[in-house]
């Protein structure tokens, strides 16, 4: 699975007005609603339910909120770059500025786990995280995310 298979260019956001973890989840939910037509409140509930089990803040300013959402047909991603980091209850207690949300249909066990592993590996690569932090251009961010995945395919 390549990141370009689950992340579209219109699913890349640069946000200047996010102040909290709840704002992050709300903005992600609104974007999914815009892309799929499913109610934002239902998407928010799926993400928030997963988050209540334990933070999806991986550390080093990176979070991967994710959840299962029955109405969708395939795994989908939304990337968010925050211009001002927010508290996310991360494992290292550091604020988050790079967020990749993943949603999967209820029966997508292996695909969901593969996507999570792939995204975590990509975002935890220092050179990729640094490049993402240096840009506020959604097209450039999409290019970084999808190009780097192809180069690390065998990793």
């Amino acid at each position: 699975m390549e990141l370009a298979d689950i992340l579209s260019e219109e699913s890349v956001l640069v946000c200047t007005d996010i102040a909290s973890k709840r704002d992050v989840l709300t903005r992600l939910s609104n974007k999914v609603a815009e892309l799929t037509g499913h109610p934002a409140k239902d998407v928010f509930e799926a993400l928030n339910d997963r988050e209540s089990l334990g933070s999806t803040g991986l550390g080093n300013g990176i979070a991967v909120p994710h959840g299962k959402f029955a109405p969708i047909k395939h795994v989908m991603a939304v990337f968010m770059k925050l211009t001002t980091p927010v508290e996310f209850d991360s494992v290292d207690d550091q604020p988050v500025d790079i967020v990749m949300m993943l949603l999967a249909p209820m029966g997508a066990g292996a695909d969901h786990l593969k996507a999570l592993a792939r995204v975590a590996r990509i975002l935890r690569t220092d050179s990729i995280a640094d490049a993402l932090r240096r840009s506020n251009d959604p097209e450039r961010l999409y290019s970084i995310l999808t190009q780097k995945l192809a180069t690390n395919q065998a990793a």
Side-chain angles (χ1 to χ4, degrees), residues 79-134:
F79 177 81
M80 179 187 288
K81 159 89 182 292
L82 306 177
T83 56
T84 305
V86 299
E87 290 303 317
F88 213 86
D89 304 317
S90 296
V91 294
D92 63 357
D93 292 321
Q94 296 301 308
V96 162
D97 63 341
I98 293 175
V99 179
M100 179 74 80
M101 180 223 66
L102 292 172
L103 272 184
M106 288 302 189
D111 286 344
H112 182 63
L113 293 177
K114 285 180 195 173
L116 275 170
R118 176 73 55 139
V119 165
R121 185 173 37 230
I122 291 167
L123 296 181
R124 287 181 144 170
T125 302
D126 290 339
S127 60
I128 295 173
D130 291 345
L132 293 170
R133 288 189 169 105
R134 283 192 304 269

Side-chain angles (χ1 to χ4, degrees), residues 18 36 75:
I18 300 291
T36 66
V75 176

Side-chain angles (χ1 to χ4, degrees), residues 3 5-15 24-36 43 47 63-66 72 74-82 98-104 115 119 123 141-142 145:
L3 196 48
D5 296 334
I6 61 173
L7 179 71
S8 64
E9 212 167 316
E10 69 245 20
S11 298
V12 176
L13 308 171
V14 175
C15 298
V24 168
L25 298 180
T26 298
R27 183 68 55 87
L28 292 168
S29 301
N30 290 340
K31 183 48 129 173
V32 171
E34 176 189 317
L35 295 170
T36 66
V43 178
L47 293 173
V64 185
H66 56 278
I72 64 172
H74 54 82
V75 176
M76 69 176 295
V78 175
F79 177 81
M80 179 187 288
K81 159 89 182 292
L82 306 177
I98 293 175
V99 179
M100 179 74 80
M101 180 223 66
L102 292 172
L103 272 184
V119 165
L123 296 181
L141 294 169
Y142 179 79
L145 289 164

